[in-house]
Amino acid sequence: MALNEDDFKKVIAHAKEYGFVFPSSEIYDGLSAVYDYGQQGAALKNNIKEYWWKAMVQLHDNIVGIDSAIFMHPTTWKASGHVDAFNDPLIDNKDSKKRYRADVLIEDYVAKLEAKIDKEVEKAAKRFGESFDKEQFLSTNARVLEYQQQGQSILQRMGASLSSENLADVKALIEELEIVCPVSGSKNWTDVKQFNLMFGTKLGASADSAMDLYLRPETAQGIFVNFLNVQKTGRMKIPFGIAQIGKAFRNEIVARQFIFRQREFEQMEMQFFIAPGTQQTWYEHWKEQRMKWHLSLGLGANNYRFHDHEKLAHYADAAADIEFKFPFGFKELEGIHSRTDFDLGSHEKFSGKKLQYFDHERNESYVPYVVETSVGVDRMFLAVFSNALCEEQLDNDTTRTVLRLPAVLAPTKAAILPLVKKDGLPEMAQEIVDQLKWEFAVAYDEKDAVGRRYRRQDALGTPFCITVDHQSLEDRTVTLRHRDSMEQTRVAIQDLSQLIGAEVNMQHWLQKIQ
Ligand code: GAP
């Protein structure tokens, strides 16, 4: 269920209360835009990473995974273009003294136009009822067409101005659109300036010999510098991919919206090396594949959309985002970029080493082209978590908070609960824990009345509760309670593994992608 912005506070509070996400170094009042994952959060995050890794590496015989270092030779970032071009255009409001990304202010303006289109669609759907044809309405209604046209021309102009570094025009656009500061409400803006997002640090003990380094702002470069190592040692033939999961760091200026935009975060990236001229086909292929991966988790097809970039990064000849409907609106979840031969070509130039591939079929050497898929672990976490949280009205006029996580990602698959803390029930429950723990992440809980324990597991997103009662001692059966339906069935202990596995095993979920 999608939430609105007001409920976003509940998402953050729930994440903290149930051990998913804590503000970093909280006892010192936290650190802005840095978060720690707690006992539940770490498990959910690991499951997301495993789901991605299996889909990309295990299920593709032409994709391998690596784990490169966070520190890289500083020339890497010259070659990649990050030293010169990894900037955000910033603008300050002179009255509130608040700093904004100029492109985000403009994109938010366009998002409001899109919201107006949605409203028109809603109104028309009500008016025309069953006979409403959304596609036709979107392509013919004069007001909708005007909003669309306006939005497109704003984004095009912004893209062109940013690409040509015409920051004066970006400011002019903000002024023409009469965008106001959300805090002060004023249009009293400074000029737009570029700000580099990389964190600098030093390697070495003495001040004279220390080398200036950067914390990597993306994991991709660790893949590019290892292209030949992997290709040769893995005897890889083009087309092939190299995947990795790891931390990245960016000195984000507008770091807000909880774990959506952080200064330290994790990426799951895959660089797919291809022959020049085939990039359009592979770009479309990976757009489709990645969307299928997202859809396989069952968060709802309406919650995703593609957004093709007007403003291309310095390395790309085509780029699209997969956007997700977060509680604060549609925002980027994953990027798919056709990076041409920019990266390997540039590393060749800066390192003086040949980074080429001899293609036996074409009988020629070339610098491979690259299509990249890049998704943030933390954004995946937020998408899954915020989508899952709901407050349900029950028949008996009470409510329950339930985290409807995809069962494959749930931190705990089953909680084993002795009905009472005596008569041998805890021992039998423990026996079931010992039987299931080899296959699934399970938890044991004997504290409080069983109804309260169910509620706690619902709030943690545990798909199954197994309750051991007095009958269990006699016939070795238990009740199996389903989180979403709250339905309880009596099942034999020996069938538990099969029943739980049918719903939580990764294989069943991954098969939906094929
Ligand atoms: N290698 C290409 C690259 O890094 P990007 O669009 O800058 O492209 C890819 O980042 C993904 O990384 C984004 O789609 C997002 O999911 C995640 N990401 C980027 N910046 C982030 C931040 N500050 N906090 C959390 N996730 C972030």
Side-chain angles (χ1 to χ4, degrees):
M1 187 181 80
L3 300 166
N4 63 36
E5 193 151 357
D6 291 341
D7 292 330
F8 190 37
K9 286 201 179 99
K10 285 191 191 150
V11 169
I12 299 170
H14 193 89
K16 177 155 185 233
E17 186 180 345
Y18 286 93
F20 284 88
V21 184
F22 306 126
S24 173
S25 19
E26 197 183 10
I27 57 168
Y28 296 105
D29 298 330
L31 188 62
S32 160
V34 185
Y35 290 91
D36 296 337
Y37 287 83
Q39 66 281 12
Q40 298 294 333
L44 173 53
K45 210 175 172 203
N46 282 339
N47 292 343
I48 291 172
K49 291 193 266 188
E50 190 186 349
Y51 195 65
W52 182 87
W53 188 268
K54 286 205 161 144
M56 298 304 261
V57 179
Q58 189 168 318
L59 295 179
H60 287 96
D61 55 12
N62 62 347
I63 300 182
V64 291
I66 64 164
D67 182 13
S68 70
I70 287 172
F71 290 136
M72 299 185 71
H73 192 284
T75 310
T76 308
W77 306 111
K78 259 320 255 177
S80 69
H82 283 82
V83 171
D84 297 319
F86 194 53
N87 300 317
D88 271 350
L90 297 184
I91 190 162
D92 291 352
N93 182 268
K94 291 183 196 163
D95 298 317
S96 67
K97 310 274 181 260
K98 290 275 173 202
R99 179 162 279 192
Y100 299 93
R101 268 177 58 181
D103 54 336
V104 171
L105 285 180
I106 295 168
E107 278 164 7
D108 284 350
Y109 181 93
V110 173
K112 282 189 192 138
L113 293 176
E114 284 166 5
K116 282 184 185 170
I117 295 176
D118 289 346
K119 274 246 162 69
E120 293 293 332
V121 170
E122 231 174 81
K123 271 198 297 187
K126 265 199 199 133
R127 205 168 53 232
F128 294 114
E130 296 257 301
S131 63
F132 181 61
D133 180 340
K134 187 174 168 189
E135 291 311 312
Q136 194 193 352
F137 180 77
L138 284 175
S139 58
T140 52
N141 180 272
R143 203 170 294 164
V144 166
L145 290 175
E146 194 188 314
Y147 289 143
Q148 279 173 351
Q149 207 272 325
Q150 224 181 321
Q152 274 164 11
S153 81
I154 291 170
L155 291 178
Q156 262 163 15
R157 176 165 158 198
M158 180 181 84
S161 307
L162 287 172
S163 303
S164 61
E165 288 281 319
N166 186 354
L167 299 182
D169 190 57
V170 177
K171 182 182 180 189
L173 184 56
I174 289 175
E175 286 175 339
E176 278 166 41
L177 297 174
E178 304 197 337
I179 294 174
V180 297
C181 165
V183 176
S184 68
S186 91
K187 293 179 234 161
N188 196 6
W189 297 109
T190 62
D191 288 341
V192 178
K193 285 192 213 89
Q194 293 288 22
F195 176 85
N196 193 285
L197 296 184
M198 284 196 294
F199 282 106
T201 185
K202 288 196 182 295
L203 179 92
S206 82
D208 326 327
S209 62
M211 190 185 209
D212 285 318
L213 292 190
Y214 295 105
L215 296 183
R216 67 179 178 198
E218 62 172 13
T219 61
Q221 299 304 323
I223 293 178
F224 292 126
V225 299
N226 281 297
F227 162 72
L228 268 193
N229 284 338
V230 175
Q231 192 270 318
K232 289 207 150 59
T233 57
R235 296 175 300 162
M236 309 301 291
K237 273 179 69 182
I238 272 181
F240 74 90
I242 305 179
Q244 91 163 319
I245 299 176
K247 289 265 182 171
F249 304 82
R250 297 182 188 177
N251 198 358
E252 299 281 3
I253 298 312
V254 189
R256 55 189 155 127
Q257 292 163 329
F258 192 39
I259 53 174
F260 179 82
R261 193 178 303 285
Q262 298 173 88
R263 300 207 162 99
E264 174 180 342
F265 58 98
E266 246 177 308
Q267 290 184 314
M268 305 187 278
E269 298 202 295
M270 192 278 296
Q271 312 296 322
F272 200 67
F273 298 93
I274 55 177
T278 62
Q279 66 267 34
Q280 182 64 25
T281 313
W282 284 113
Y283 172 66
E284 295 302 333
H285 169 86
W286 280 111
K287 269 175 80 173
E288 189 190 328
Q289 275 301 111
R290 292 303 303 144
M291 186 58 106
K292 277 191 183 168
W293 182 84
H294 287 287
L295 293 176
S296 72
L297 287 169
L299 307 190
N302 288 341
N303 288 323
Y304 298 89
R305 70 181 186 193
F306 282 113
H307 166 76
D308 295 317
H309 283 207
E310 298 290 340
K311 172 196 150 200
L312 292 173
H314 58 275
Y315 49 74
D317 72 356
D321 296 335
I322 292 177
E323 293 188 338
F324 183 76
K325 196 169 184 187
F326 288 98
F328 36 82
F330 272 104
K331 294 274 176 213
E332 174 185 345
L333 174 60
E334 167 152 10
I336 294 117
H337 311 122
S338 171
R339 296 181 74 124
T340 68
D341 59 354
F342 172 84
D343 302 273
L344 290 181
S346 185
H347 284 303
E348 241 195 359
K349 245 184 269 152
F350 277 82
S351 68
K353 311 266 164 40
K354 255 192 167 7
L355 296 177
Q356 303 205 353
Y357 173 81
F358 183 74
D359 190 324
H360 288 274
E361 275 161 40
R362 293 188 178 203
N363 199 24
E364 61 172 357
S365 284
Y366 52 75
V367 176
Y369 271 45
V370 170
V371 171
E372 162 186 78
T373 72
S374 175
V375 55
V377 179
D378 313 82
R379 284 196 194 172
M380 266 310 291
F381 187 110
L382 184 57
V384 166
F385 191 86
S386 60
N387 185 273
L389 187 63
C390 26
E391 258 173 37
E392 254 180 28
Q393 200 69 38
L394 300 180
D395 290 343
N396 59 2
D397 268 355
T398 57
T399 55
R400 73 161 180 155
T401 302
V402 54
L403 198 60
R404 291 171 178 271
L405 293 172
V408 66
L409 300 182
T412 305
K413 306 306 185 201
I416 295 102
L417 320 171
L419 187 63
V420 289
K421 234 189 304 181
K422 55 182 185 187
D423 305 335
L425 301 188
E427 288 75 9
M428 190 166 196
Q430 196 57 55
E431 192 193 305
I432 296 173
V433 169
D434 290 338
Q435 178 193 318
L436 294 179
K437 70 183 179 190
W438 302 97
E439 239 184 306
F440 311 111
V442 292
Y444 173 84
D445 188 8
E446 57 174 29
K447 199 167 171 276
D448 295 328
V450 77
R452 290 184 68 163
R453 281 180 272 164
Y454 286 153
R455 288 288 181 275
R456 183 169 165 75
Q457 294 302 329
D458 288 344
L460 291 169
T462 308
F464 293 104
C465 284
I466 296 162
T467 308
V468 177
D469 54 21
H470 292 92
Q471 189 184 329
S472 311
L473 299 174
E474 288 162 23
D475 61 7
R476 294 195 66 79
T477 64
V478 288
T479 59
L480 185 64
R481 176 184 178 274
H482 294 249
R483 176 196 68 198
D484 296 345
S485 63
M486 293 189 287
E487 216 174 68
Q488 299 188 26
T489 43
R490 192 101 210 154
V491 303
I493 291 173
Q494 62 177 14
D495 294 338
L496 282 172
S497 154
Q498 190 265 322
L499 290 167
I500 297 168
E503 289 199 29
V504 310
N505 281 350
M506 220 165 251
Q507 182 183 345
H508 307 310
W509 292 75
L510 286 170
Q511 273 162 348
K512 293 185 228 168
I513 305 172
Q514 304 302 314

